[in-house]
Amino acid sequence: MPPAVAVASAPMRGGEGTKATARRPGRTLAGRRRRAAVLLLALSYAAAMLMLFICAGGSGPSSAGGSGLVDRRPAAPAPPGSVYRSHLVFERLLPDMRASASRPNPLMSTHYKKSGKRWVPCISKRMAQSVLPPSNGFLVVEANGVLNQQRISICDAVAVASLLNATLVTPAFHLNSVWRDSSKFGDIFDEEHFIKTLEKHVRVVTELPEDVSAQFDHNISNIPNMRTKAFSSHSYYLEKVLPKMLELGAVRIAPFSNRLANSVPSNIHALRCLANYEALRFSVPIRTLADNMVGRMIKKSSLTGGKYMSVHLRFEEDMVAFSCCIYDGDWKENIAMENARERSWRGKFHRPGRVINPEANRRNGRCPLTPLEVGMMLRGMGFDNTTSLYVASGKIYNSEKYMTPLRLLFPLLQTKETLTSPEELAQFKGHSSRLAALDYTVCLQSEAFVTTQGSNFPHFLMGHRRYLYGGHAKTIKPDKRKMVLLFDNPDIRWDRFKHLMQDIRRHSESKGFGLRKHDGSIYNLPMPECMCQQAEA
């Protein structure tokens, strides 16, 4: 018999049952308290061990060699460039950045260009003009994405329509799950100008004729969808799509982004050039406000002779979330990013087999630059606090925190919100593509353009600037894999930082000129299909 039971039963055998009965409730309560204390102690111990295990980076019992014990050995230091330490570098270099001045400002220097490499637009010389043969049918496409992904769809649709000798219906736009812009073609682009510019090469209509529409019960969803694979060859369209068009009178391809290969005959490229650089111009409301914004930027840039720099800053919440990069790493950031990923991509990042490595993302230059990093980069490259800076972006994540350092370094910073009145901007609110068109125009006219993250916006803009500025424009496309190493060293000296940043800038500018390779994009490198070489004067 256990000792506790013996002590309780002995008095009963000695005839003192009444006293034992009186003491039993007290002893029972004490026993319960002891058991509760032991249980609480055990739970506390288990919780402590779990926290130790989590902090040690374990993912299961096997992480301690299969024994279930926590490995208390110190974790190996993260490789250089793996962790966000840019805010520490900023604090270290801020006094030097405030004191530094660049004379002359790099915006005042001449464009970098190679001797004998002056290029001028010459699409009209490459386009054969003849009477269009009878149409083989109607091509209906649905463009997905936002502004510049829509541009790809439109230009490729023009090329495919010519290839099939089809009549193109101006593309419809998908309501994107992230941007949720309900704009139609005519809200963003000048539809009349688009049709007129192409009329000698491709027939374009705003809607299906009544008799054709009636065949499909006035519902384009009833038109068979060809579901073409991405980057399909021109021969695929001739062999698979054209017979269906001849049979039905109309075909539909949805979605249509990147549905035509980059490697196509030169006459197809020429049509892409004509559509992108000549036929697609923004609608009158967008052009009117955008031109006013450019004028205001030039007026505000008096310290640099009316020249200003533009930056495409990709630090919106959805961009940060999609990158799976870690910045502050606190619980607020973790919750915000997880919510953003789930809201826009619904479980995509939790699928079995999906491996997310934020440290590797940073080392490989895949993390969006923070506004603070952009500010340090530009100051290191020689742009001082007299530089007029236009920032093109959506809504910056945690903007009050992240934009403050950039505004401190560049007090002449402007955005579409600061360059316009609330009344001017009201008609574009809630329409991502129209807002992006304002940014696009101001960046297009800037003296220098800085891209901070790969996307369709800088891809198209760099090509458009090359088209307008003789095959080359001042474009800074930094090597982020090199930069993360500089941002990882809180002890770096200003002279060293500045020297390395200026090397990155010179290397970037020297690569601004280039000819399109076999599988390259004419939207980024318009030479030689969209431009002709002209001897220097």
Side-chain angles (χ1 to χ4, degrees):
M1 178 181 294
V5 176
V7 171
S9 57
M12 293 178 66
R13 288 194 296 268
E16 299 180 6
T18 303
K19 293 181 181 180
T21 302
R23 290 194 295 267
R24 188 179 299 162
R27 291 184 177 181
T28 301
L29 182 60
R32 288 176 179 171
R33 287 175 176 169
R34 282 196 297 273
R35 285 194 295 273
V38 170
L39 180 60
L40 183 60
L41 182 62
L43 288 173
S44 299
Y45 176 78
M49 292 300 291
L50 180 61
M51 288 301 295
L52 268 174
F53 184 71
I54 291 172
C55 292
S59 58
S62 60
S63 53
S67 65
L69 298 177
V70 176
D71 186 353
R72 292 184 178 82
R73 290 174 298 179
S82 299
V83 180
Y84 181 75
R85 296 193 179 96
S86 303
H87 56 298
L88 302 177
V89 179
F90 177 79
E91 292 172 4
R92 167 78 171 80
L93 298 182
L94 181 57
D96 294 305
M97 288 189 288
R98 278 177 156 171
S100 70
S102 176
R103 296 290 185 269
N105 190 295
L107 289 180
M108 303 298 286
S109 61
T110 58
H111 282 247
Y112 177 94
K113 59 185 177 183
K114 295 184 179 180
S115 177
K117 295 294 184 179
R118 176 74 181 177
W119 290 76
V120 295
C122 65
I123 297 172
S124 58
K125 293 181 181 179
R126 299 180 181 272
M127 301 291 296
Q129 295 185 8
S130 60
V131 178
L132 290 174
S135 175
N136 287 327
F138 292 87
L139 176 63
V140 177
V141 302
E142 296 177 34
N144 52 312
V146 75
L147 179 66
N148 291 291
Q149 199 168 354
Q150 292 166 344
R151 289 179 78 105
I152 293 175
S153 298
I154 296 165
C155 297
D156 283 0
V158 168
V160 170
S162 175
L163 184 66
L164 300 178
N165 187 32
T167 300
L168 175 67
V169 181
T170 50
F173 297 153
H174 278 165
L175 185 64
N176 188 278
S177 61
V178 177
W179 296 284
R180 299 187 178 280
D181 187 347
S182 60
S183 298
K184 293 180 172 54
F185 189 99
D187 296 322
I188 303 170
F189 301 106
D190 187 332
E191 199 164 29
E192 183 179 345
H193 174 80
F194 179 76
I195 294 172
K196 186 170 181 57
T197 303
L198 296 171
E199 65 182 358
K200 294 181 180 179
H201 308 282
V202 178
R203 294 183 182 87
V204 183
V205 296
T206 58
E207 58 186 14
L208 287 172
E210 173 63 27
D211 59 329
V212 178
S213 181
Q215 294 177 33
F216 303 99
D217 296 328
H218 303 284
N219 185 351
I220 65 169
S221 297
N222 291 333
I223 302 174
N225 187 1
M226 299 298 294
R227 296 194 178 278
T228 308
K229 292 182 179 179
F231 300 105
S232 292
S233 66
H234 66 286
S235 59
Y236 171 87
Y237 285 95
L238 292 173
E239 295 168 5
K240 301 294 184 181
V241 179
L242 181 57
K244 202 72 174 176
M245 177 180 287
L246 292 171
E247 175 191 348
L248 300 173
V251 294
R252 179 170 65 98
I253 304 176
F256 193 73
S257 179
N258 293 308
R259 287 306 187 269
L260 179 62
N262 286 329
S263 178
V264 294
S266 59
N267 63 310
I268 301 300
H269 276 312
L271 277 163
R272 279 170 156 165
C273 296
L274 180 64
N276 187 48
Y277 297 115
E278 302 295 338
L280 278 181
R281 74 180 185 188
F282 294 126
S283 63
V284 172
I286 291 174
R287 292 205 315 273
T288 300
L289 181 55
D291 289 346
N292 287 338
M293 292 167 66
V294 170
R296 292 165 192 173
M297 277 304 301
I298 292 173
K299 187 175 181 180
K300 290 176 180 292
S301 306
S302 58
L303 292 175
T304 49
K307 298 179 180 181
Y308 64 92
M309 167 181 280
S310 61
V311 176
H312 183 226
L313 185 57
R314 289 309 313 271
F315 205 69
E316 302 92 346
E317 184 177 71
D318 67 284
M319 187 69 204
V320 177
F322 188 82
S323 73
C324 294
C325 295
I326 295 175
Y327 293 90
D328 284 350
D330 60 12
W331 64 272
K332 288 183 179 179
E333 180 185 292
N334 294 339
I335 292 174
M337 294 301 99
E338 184 61 30
N339 289 342
R341 283 189 282 267
E342 190 59 29
R343 184 169 58 248
S344 298
W345 295 283
R346 295 186 183 86
K348 176 178 179 177
F349 293 88
H350 295 291
R351 291 174 184 168
R354 177 90 186 224
V355 177
I356 297 173
N357 191 333
E359 294 184 353
N361 287 350
R362 183 167 298 283
R363 290 196 306 273
N364 292 328
R366 295 174 183 165
C367 292
L369 292 179
T370 64
L372 177 149
E373 290 171 326
V374 172
M376 287 196 294
M377 175 188 77
L378 294 180
R379 290 301 289 267
M381 288 180 173
F383 300 95
D384 63 20
N385 62 0
T386 67
T387 302
S388 289
L389 189 67
Y390 180 82
V391 174
S393 72
K395 184 179 179 181
I396 296 298
Y397 167 64
N398 203 353
S399 62
E400 185 175 349
K401 171 184 176 179
Y402 283 109
M403 285 298 289
T404 298
L406 182 58
R407 293 185 185 279
L408 178 65
L409 296 176
F410 291 94
L412 302 181
L413 183 152
Q414 301 288 338
T415 65
K416 54 182 169 288
E417 288 79 13
T418 63
L419 273 183
T420 61
S421 67
E423 292 75 23
E424 287 177 313
L425 211 55
Q427 61 181 312
F428 304 105
K429 287 291 187 182
H431 300 287
S432 301
S433 288
R434 296 185 227 180
L435 291 170
L438 296 175
D439 278 339
Y440 187 97
T441 305
V442 181
C443 291
L444 186 64
Q445 301 297 330
S446 65
E447 179 70 11
F449 171 66
V450 183
T451 173
T452 64
Q453 184 77 3
S455 68
N456 283 318
F457 187 99
H459 182 86
F460 267 80
L461 194 64
M462 286 189 286
H464 207 153
R465 286 168 59 80
R466 288 179 173 120
Y467 182 79
L468 292 178
Y469 305 128
H472 184 280
K474 289 182 184 177
T475 299
I476 298 175
K477 186 179 180 182
D479 187 333
K480 293 199 290 182
R481 284 182 294 184
K482 290 182 179 179
M483 291 206 308
V484 293
L485 300 178
L486 303 183
F487 293 145
D488 192 52
N489 181 10
D491 297 321
I492 192 169
R493 296 179 62 85
W494 171 241
D495 288 344
R496 174 69 174 164
F497 182 87
K498 183 168 62 172
H499 174 74
L500 293 173
M501 282 295 174
Q502 290 178 355
D503 279 348
I504 292 173
R505 176 187 137 218
R506 281 189 290 268
H507 180 70
S508 175
E509 288 186 345
S510 70
K511 292 174 69 67
F513 175 89
L515 297 178
R516 191 188 74 85
K517 295 181 180 179
H518 178 68
D519 288 327
S521 164
I522 66 102
Y523 307 121
N524 184 250
L525 289 169
M527 301 89 73
E529 283 83 5
C530 311
M531 306 178 74
C532 297
Q533 199 168 7
Q534 187 180 77
E536 293 286 353

